[in-house]
Amino acid sequence: MLALQAGGEPVYEALRYERARVLDGQSWRLLSAHAVHLGWAHCLMNAGGLALCAALAAGTRSWRAWTAAIVALALGVGALLVVASPGATNYAGLSGVLYGLFIWVLAPRAWQGDRWAWIGLAVVVARLGWQLIPPHSDAQPSWIGGEVMVEAHLYGALCALLLCLLQAAWSRLRQARA
């Protein structure tokens, strides 16, 4: 993300989600949009969120699981932007995926009775709920250099919930066969 941010406006323009270009066949933007940002502040906020999420996971997931989750969440958020948010014409940033990653990391631990995971999960859900209720603050857009697309946060959370449920079902199926 940092290297792409250093590439400036040309990289941002080439990789951000643009609905019209996605519909014209540039489907890579469903994935690449999550790696480019509106500016350095936006990029650093998302990098910090990713670092915090990785610290919370504390080695509980392999790099392959992280990679698969990031790709699945990015594609899920991108696809939902296309299908469920036709008014969303441009998007960039990792925040939708980040909301999903926090849930992906915390939900399984919470389901196993980890009180701190429940608290963390409650904070993520409360923050999302707060963002969904208008009026929206003018502070964050001024920090990141553009509007916050709360729908992407919601889509990331929903995709993560589905991912967690699918992983739990797969795990139970494997245990039943053993």
Side-chain angles (χ1 to χ4, degrees):
M1 286 186 330
L2 299 175
L4 291 173
Q5 185 61 37
E9 191 71 20
V11 172
Y12 169 78
E13 291 293 330
L15 300 179
R16 73 180 177 176
Y17 170 86
E18 288 184 63
R19 181 179 177 76
R21 291 186 181 200
V22 169
L23 294 175
D24 282 343
Q26 295 182 11
S27 56
W28 71 84
R29 291 176 181 269
L30 296 175
L31 186 61
S32 66
H34 306 282
V36 295
H37 294 80
L38 301 171
W40 278 105
H42 187 213
C43 183
L44 293 173
M45 281 176 50
N46 278 211
L50 185 59
L52 175 61
C53 189
L56 288 172
T60 60
R61 309 277 186 143
S62 71
W63 69 268
R64 285 185 179 139
W66 274 90
T67 302
I70 289 170
V71 169
L73 292 168
L75 291 173
V77 170
L80 284 168
L81 286 172
V82 171
V83 172
S85 294
T89 57
N90 294 292
Y91 175 77
L94 191 66
S95 58
V97 171
L98 271 176
Y99 271 83
L101 286 173
F102 275 107
I103 290 171
W104 178 72
V105 164
L106 294 170
R109 290 175 36 198
W111 294 336
Q112 293 173 352
D114 182 333
R115 188 164 96 214
W116 290 108
W118 273 114
I119 291 169
L121 196 56
V123 168
V124 171
V125 171
R127 168 92 170 125
L128 179 58
W130 176 72
Q131 289 180 329
L132 290 169
I133 300 169
H136 303 292
S137 169
D138 292 336
Q140 197 168 4
S142 65
W143 295 342
I144 66 170
E147 289 298 317
V148 176
M149 189 171 297
V150 179
E151 300 97 311
H153 300 175
L154 176 62
Y155 299 156
L158 293 173
C159 288
L161 183 58
L162 178 61
L163 185 59
C164 287
L165 292 172
L166 289 172
Q167 287 176 332
W170 178 254
S171 178
R172 285 193 181 112
L173 182 64
R174 284 192 357 216
Q175 288 174 354
R177 288 185 177 180

